[in-house]
Amino acid sequence: MNLSQDDLATLWLTLQLATTVTAILLIVGTPIAWWLARTRSWWKGVVSAVVALPLVLPPTVLGFYLLLAMGPEGAIGQLTQGLGLGTLPFTFWGLVVASVLYSLPFVVQPIQNAMEALGERPLEAAATLRAGPWDRFFTVVVPMARPGFLTAAVLGFAHTVGEFGLVLMIGGNIPGETRVVSVQIYDHVEALDYAHAHGLAAIMVLFSFLVLLGLYGVQRQKGTFGLTYGKNR
Amino acid sequence: MSISDCPSDTIQARFALQRQGDFCLNVDVTVPATGVTAVFGHSGSGKTTFLRCVAGLEKPDDGYLNVKGEVWQGPSRLLPTHRRPLGYVFQEASLFPHLTAKGNLDYAIKRASDVFDVELYDRVLEVMGIDSLLERHPHQLSGGERQRVAIARALLIQPRLLLMDEPLASLDMARKQEILPYLERLHETFDVPVLYVSHSVDEVARLADRTLVFDQGEVVAQGRLADVFSRIDLPLGFGEDAGVVLQGKVVERDSQWHLARVGFEGGELWVRDGGDALGRSVRVRVLARDVSLALACHEDSSILNRLPVTVSEIAADKDEAMAMVRLQSGKEYLIARITQRSRQRLGVEPGRQLWAQIKSVAIVR
């Protein structure tokens, strides 16, 4: 396989980005999913819609607004500058923030579905066994919704690896900082360097296939929840 | 009513709750905090909602709950479910599917009121007969086994009050028969008051010491089984199942004819010998449809049991052709379901002395 030093660097960066984003998504997405699964508030519709927006928006639109918001004049930009962090666009962490927003529905919705499927009964049973709210969440909800978490993590990770438009808008193309695999492939093709493009593209195909194969394998064994893409809800 | 006048050996519950639609619950009861109290009624009568209010799973609009002198709910206090020292057995198995049977029991042990008690653990496992099931997951257990594990789990939390919501309702007849003995042993072995929700006369007759009868969100009768089940003025509509439950003792065993004589407060009855030892306390059920009335004591019939009775009350049956008659025998009561025509022909009136002929008597426990 034909991989340059540069290609390996982009692979490594992509892996770092996707891992970081997935970790943050699970931490941020879980409480959102829990709230959405349990609430009867009028706000549920609004929050669901906002979370699902990245599913329908072109990445360039999301990227455009994020670029403005995280820029020197934007609200997020002002905040990060005030904290002495500089501005986020064209940095690794800028990519992380953008990716978290972009992949949020892919993580929230499977977890939410799994949590809704639990119903009231296990929680009531746990309450009659003296488990308080936090206890119930960690000893009943999380383990019972585990297939949902697994699906969420895989989808969040894969979706982050696969994004392109948003990366270009927010990250640009800075080697070692924001140049991820999808952008690198684009560059290779632009330069008519099909040999290198082939190498990376093949790795992506193989990676995606293996991830999905693994996921379906686990789900088939567990026989619990199907792979629920956000769009099919 | 002040809080202090609730003795420490009773459960006092007052709940008012209005739900969407026309369902409302309006109860104010005090029951002894010992033995098994059946919460009996048709589906939709509010009995499960009542139990859920006791558990704190349902929040009544207004309520007061005092369990053995401890206020669980009052004007300024609503103890959340997980702070109430109760055990709860749901209608369908509510075991955690991600844990083994043992894991489910451990879940309770870890959170129990008192420190782990090996002796209690062994006793619970033995009484429920689940020793060999511990390593299995809930989906590898039968419905009856799951329910036994669920009951064991509720006992291991060391509750001060055990709530059971139709624990047998989701099981078929064979499974019910499999579990009932375990429930009886539970009653005999563990000193914990039980509120047992059921719509089954059979279960209540077998398990309960007293009953609360629910109808349309209200308690319409309460007291000893013998008293409540002999009432003919209740809108229970037992129909074919109407009958009394009598507490008695085996006073003689006739080995030649395989019969046993059971003495109770109102006389004596011959029953088929079920193997109960002399002196053993048993509970018998006499169905209203098995009791016929006669003006004289007929020795010339195949009927074994004849009791002199006094008519105390007569009520119309749901069936136009039938009448329900309440009969006093000693200190206890029987009920008979006879045709209106016979009632007229025999001149059955309150105060009239008659002979009750009892075609069949069953030992239920």
Side-chain angles (χ1 to χ4, degrees):
Chain A
M1 194 156 290
N2 214 341
L3 289 180
S4 67
Q5 206 60 37
D6 256 8
D7 292 340
L8 288 175
T10 60
L11 275 174
W12 176 236
L13 183 73
T14 305
L15 199 67
Q16 278 180 302
L17 176 69
T19 309
T20 312
V21 168
T22 306
I24 294 175
L25 274 173
L26 288 176
I27 294 167
V28 174
T30 302
I32 297 177
W34 180 237
W35 184 81
L36 284 173
R38 304 284 299 175
T39 187
R40 285 181 208 147
S41 155
W42 177 86
W43 285 96
K44 177 175 179 172
V46 179
V47 175
S48 299
V50 170
V51 168
L53 263 185
L55 293 174
V56 293
L57 284 181
T60 42
V61 172
L62 192 65
F64 172 64
Y65 282 118
L66 279 174
L67 197 57
L68 290 183
M70 298 197 298
E73 304 301 319
I76 301 174
Q78 300 270 339
L79 180 73
T80 51
Q81 282 172 312
L83 293 171
L85 300 171
T87 53
L88 288 174
F90 311 109
T91 66
F92 177 77
W93 286 102
L95 268 193
V96 169
V97 171
S99 302
V100 164
L101 284 175
Y102 188 46
S103 297
L104 195 58
F106 291 87
V107 171
V108 169
Q109 292 186 353
I111 299 177
Q112 184 188 341
N113 289 346
M115 286 171 169
E116 281 173 350
L118 296 186
E120 283 295 320
R121 188 45 46 84
L123 291 165
E124 290 187 348
T128 66
L129 294 166
R130 313 263 211 288
W134 289 100
D135 192 1
R136 295 201 283 272
F137 185 80
F138 286 108
T139 59
V140 176
V141 177
V142 171
M144 281 183 73
R146 207 176 60 185
F149 280 99
L150 187 67
T151 304
V154 170
L155 287 181
F157 189 91
H159 195 242
T160 305
V161 167
E163 72 189 53
F164 174 71
L166 190 69
V167 176
L168 273 189
M169 295 292 287
I170 298 290
N173 192 0
I174 305 164
E177 175 82 18
T178 62
R179 185 187 285 170
V180 295
V181 173
S182 57
V183 177
Q184 179 79 344
I185 294 173
Y186 181 76
D187 280 355
H188 284 321
V189 175
E190 282 276 86
L192 297 178
D193 182 0
Y194 282 19
H196 281 100
H198 263 309
L200 281 179
I203 287 175
M204 292 290 271
V205 171
L206 193 69
F207 163 78
S208 305
F209 177 71
L210 288 178
V211 164
L212 291 176
L213 186 69
L215 183 64
Y216 280 121
V218 170
Q219 303 242 339
R220 200 172 57 86
Q221 265 176 17
K222 291 272 175 194
T224 43
F225 303 99
L227 183 54
T228 41
Y229 295 95
K231 286 172 186 173
N232 296 343
R233 275 217 61 213
Chain B
M1 189 178 305
S2 79
I3 289 164
S4 57
D5 66 5
C6 177
S8 63
D9 54 355
T10 64
I11 298 161
Q12 196 181 75
R14 178 165 55 73
F15 300 121
L17 167 150
Q18 177 81 49
R19 281 280 174 273
Q20 282 166 348
D22 54 2
F23 177 77
C24 69
L25 182 74
N26 204 338
V27 294
D28 187 353
V29 289
T30 303
V31 295
T34 54
V36 178
T37 303
V39 179
F40 179 77
H42 295 298
S43 53
S45 61
K47 54 194 191 308
T48 292
T49 309
F50 169 74
L51 201 71
R52 289 174 59 83
C53 285
V54 173
L57 294 170
E58 202 85 44
K59 313 257 178 302
D61 307 323
D62 179 39
Y64 174 77
L65 176 62
N66 186 318
V67 177
K68 298 192 195 179
E70 227 173 75
V71 179
W72 289 9
Q73 184 177 351
S76 56
R77 182 180 167 86
L78 181 65
L79 221 53
T81 301
H82 66 272
R83 297 250 164 77
R84 301 184 182 200
L86 53 83
Y88 201 109
V89 180
F90 292 87
Q91 185 167 341
E92 74 281 16
S94 55
L95 298 179
F96 301 125
H98 61 289
L99 300 175
T100 58
K102 175 107 175 32
N104 272 278
L105 299 183
D106 288 343
Y107 196 95
I109 291 167
K110 267 186 221 151
R111 293 163 179 81
S113 313
D114 296 303
V115 286
F116 180 62
D117 176 351
V118 183
E119 201 203 321
L120 173 76
Y121 183 77
D122 291 343
R123 206 146 40 97
V124 168
L125 257 57
E126 196 227 302
V127 170
M128 288 298 136
I130 52 173
D131 238 328
S132 59
L133 311 174
L134 293 180
E135 298 311 317
R136 299 204 208 148
H137 274 87
H139 69 269
Q140 296 164 311
L141 299 172
S142 73
E145 289 169 341
R146 275 201 290 267
Q147 212 52 309
R148 271 150 57 197
V149 175
I151 295 167
R153 188 177 69 172
L155 287 170
L156 286 171
I157 199 84
Q158 306 185 27
R160 284 165 60 83
L161 174 63
L162 182 58
L163 306 173
M164 303 181 101
D165 182 10
E166 309 218 28
L168 306 184
S170 61
L171 306 175
D172 58 40
M173 210 55 210
R175 294 277 158 277
K176 273 184 200 168
Q177 295 308 321
E178 168 200 318
I179 279 206
L180 271 164
Y182 292 101
L183 290 179
E184 282 170 14
R185 289 171 69 192
L186 167 115
H187 182 28
E188 287 156 17
T189 317
F190 302 99
D191 180 30
V192 53
V194 180
L195 289 182
Y196 187 100
V197 165
S198 178
H199 67 266
S200 153
V201 191
D202 284 327
E203 282 171 38
V204 173
R206 261 182 93 157
L207 298 172
D209 297 312
R210 70 191 76 82
T211 180
L212 295 176
V213 181
F214 272 67
D215 189 48
Q216 301 185 358
E218 290 183 23
V219 175
V220 291
Q222 75 177 94
R224 288 193 319 138
L225 280 192
D227 294 333
V228 172
F229 278 12
S230 69
R231 282 180 60 177
I232 52 178
D233 59 332
L234 294 175
L236 291 172
F238 289 125
E240 296 294 314
D241 276 340
V244 296
V245 175
L246 301 167
Q247 193 74 43
K249 220 176 241 176
V250 178
V251 292
E252 184 189 338
R253 290 178 76 180
D254 181 336
S255 56
Q256 186 188 353
W257 301 109
H258 306 287
L259 294 171
R261 192 155 56 91
V262 173
F264 68 104
E265 292 274 18
E268 288 177 345
L269 293 167
W270 284 99
V271 299
R272 275 189 284 178
D273 191 350
D276 292 296
L278 268 182
R280 197 187 143 88
S281 170
V282 291
R283 186 177 278 190
V284 297
R285 189 155 166 228
V286 180
L287 292 176
R289 62 160 191 247
D290 291 332
V291 178
S292 60
L293 298 175
L295 296 175
C297 182
H298 291 284
E299 298 284 346
D300 57 345
S301 94
S302 67
I303 287 174
L304 211 52
N305 290 304
R306 288 177 293 273
L307 295 171
V309 294
T310 310
V311 176
S312 73
E313 200 182 337
I314 301 164
D317 194 86
K318 267 199 294 195
D319 188 332
E320 276 182 7
M322 308 301 285
M324 296 294 281
V325 184
R326 190 177 200 224
L327 308 158
Q328 186 168 10
S329 167
K331 286 184 185 167
E332 295 286 7
Y333 290 92
L334 297 173
I335 54 177
R337 192 165 184 243
I338 59 173
T339 60
Q340 290 283 8
R341 185 175 144 177
S342 305
R343 182 182 78 84
Q344 168 109 53
R345 200 164 52 80
L346 295 183
V348 176
E349 298 295 341
R352 183 86 198 252
Q353 311 247 326
L354 294 166
W355 285 87
Q357 310 186 116
I358 300 161
K359 207 161 30 173
S360 122
V361 181
I363 291 192
V364 289
R365 188 168 98 196

